[in-house]
Amino acid sequence: MTTKRAECLLLFVTFCWGSSYLFMKDGLTDLGAFAIVAWRFGIAFLAAGLLLGSGWKRVTWSMVRSGALVGLMVFLAFSLLVKGVAYTTTTNAGFITSMMVVFIPFVERFVYGRPLRRSVWMTSALSLLGIGCLTLSGGLSLNPGDVFCLTGAMLCALQVSYASRLLVHMDAVTLGVLQFGFTAFFGLLTALYLGEPMMPHGTSWGGMMYLGLVCSAFGFLAQLQAQRFIAAERVGILFSLEPVFAAIIGVICLHESFGFSHLAGAALVLMSVVLSGKSDSSAEKADQTAKA
C-alpha cells in the first residue's frame, strides 16, 4: 500500500467515525444507550473475531483479563458518549470527544508519572476556551450532554494510555477483538438490568450494522493497516478531522445550528487537538533519538 492510498483509507475511516454520532443519535429513537453499545460492539466482535481465525488458539487468560479491563473502560466511555449525544448536538459531541487527545498527557502525568511538557498547558488553555465557546453560548450553564461527552473523552484517554502499555507485549488485533467482546457483554448486561428497549426497528437495524461493521470492526482494522505507512504526525492530523466531519453531517442531515461562537469554539478545539498531536509526535522522535 502506498502512503497516498493509506492516507485516503485513514481519511475514510475518520469520516466514518465522524458520521457515527448521527447513527447513535438516530438509534436512540428505538434503543437505550446501553443497548446501542451492546449492538455496536457485539457486531464488531463477531466480524473481527472471524478474522482473528487461528489466533484464538494463542489467547491466554492473562489476555482475557486485560481485554476485560480495557472493554470495561470502553463500555463506560461509549455509554457516556451515547448518553451525551441524546442531549447535545453531534457537532458538540464530536469536538468535545476529540478532547481525548488533550487529556492523554494529563493521564500520563497523574496516573503513570510521566512529566508534562510545557506545550500541554497552551493546548489545554486553547481547548478549554473552545469548549466554553461551544457549550456556554446560551449562558453560563453546561448542557448535561456536553458533560457526559467530556467525561467520556477523559475515560477514552485513560483507556488509550492503558492499552498502549498492553500492546508492548500483546497483539493489537487480539486485544481489539477481546475489547469488542467485553464492551458488548457489559452493555448487554446493563441494558437487560435496566430494562432498556433492545430490538432495533426500521432504519435502526442499518444504523447498528453500520456502527458495528464499518465504524468499529472495519475502522479498527483499517486503522492498524494504514498507520503502518503514514507518519505519526500525519495520522494525528487526519484523526483531528473527525469532529469536522461530525459537524458537517450534523448541519446537513440534522439541520443543527452552527453560529459564530460554535465556529470559534470548533476552531480552538481543533487547533488544540492538532497541536497536541504534533507535540506528541515531536516527543516520540526526541525519545527515539535519545535511545539511539
Side-chain angles (χ1 to χ4, degrees):
M1 182 183 293
T2 63
T3 299
K4 188 172 183 179
R5 286 185 178 180
E7 288 182 348
C8 288
L9 177 60
L10 206 59
L11 187 64
F12 177 69
V13 169
T14 305
F15 170 80
C16 292
W17 288 342
S19 68
S20 67
Y21 300 96
L22 171 66
F23 288 93
M24 287 189 289
K25 202 172 189 74
D26 180 66
L28 286 166
T29 58
D30 291 333
L31 302 166
F34 299 111
I36 289 176
V37 171
W39 277 107
R40 174 174 182 168
F41 288 96
I43 292 170
F45 171 70
L46 292 175
L50 290 174
L51 294 177
L52 190 59
S54 60
W56 282 108
K57 297 178 182 178
R58 295 188 292 273
V59 174
T60 64
W61 280 112
S62 176
M63 292 178 180
V64 172
R65 285 193 296 271
S66 297
L69 184 53
V70 175
L72 178 61
M73 294 180 188
V74 174
F75 160 70
L76 293 172
F78 270 81
S79 296
L80 286 166
L81 293 178
V82 178
K83 284 281 189 183
V85 168
Y87 298 104
T88 192
T89 62
T90 57
T91 299
N92 277 21
F95 278 101
I96 293 173
T97 304
S98 71
M99 288 278 295
M100 171 193 74
V101 178
V102 180
F103 291 142
I104 287 175
F106 290 98
V107 172
E108 291 290 323
R109 170 66 181 90
F110 294 110
V111 178
Y112 297 106
R114 292 186 64 180
L116 277 175
R117 299 181 302 279
R118 277 181 288 184
S119 60
V120 169
W121 298 109
M122 181 186 71
T123 56
S124 299
L126 283 174
S127 61
L128 284 174
L129 186 58
I131 291 298
C133 291
L134 282 169
T135 60
L136 302 178
S137 56
L140 294 177
S141 60
L142 279 173
N143 183 312
D146 296 331
V147 176
F148 284 143
C149 290
L150 194 63
T151 309
M154 293 177 184
L155 284 170
C156 282
L158 182 62
Q159 179 263 328
V160 167
S161 291
Y162 177 66
S164 67
R165 284 160 173 77
L166 292 177
L167 291 174
V168 173
H169 54 79
M170 189 173 176
D171 175 63
V173 175
T174 302
L175 179 60
V177 171
L178 292 172
Q179 166 190 300
F180 289 156
F182 279 106
T183 302
F185 176 70
F186 294 131
L188 178 62
L189 284 184
T190 308
L192 291 175
Y193 177 77
L194 295 176
E196 286 188 347
M198 286 295 300
M199 292 305 296
H201 300 285
T203 58
S204 293
W205 274 113
M208 292 306 103
M209 296 299 288
Y210 178 80
L211 288 171
L213 291 176
V214 180
C215 296
S216 290
F218 168 76
F220 170 70
L221 295 172
Q223 172 196 346
L224 289 179
Q225 177 68 11
Q227 282 187 258
R228 295 167 54 199
F229 303 93
I230 309 173
E233 182 176 333
R234 188 71 172 165
V235 170
I237 293 173
L238 289 171
F239 279 169
S240 70
L241 293 174
E242 178 186 335
V244 177
F245 288 132
I248 293 171
I249 291 169
V251 171
I252 294 174
C253 298
L254 299 176
H255 310 292
E256 294 178 348
S257 62
F258 196 72
F260 178 76
S261 63
H262 294 94
L263 181 61
L268 288 168
V269 171
L270 186 60
M271 190 185 305
S272 71
V273 170
V274 172
L275 290 174
S276 293
K278 285 187 175 182
S279 61
D280 286 345
S281 178
S282 300
E284 286 178 8
K285 289 177 182 177
D287 287 344
Q288 291 170 359
T289 303
K291 291 175 183 176

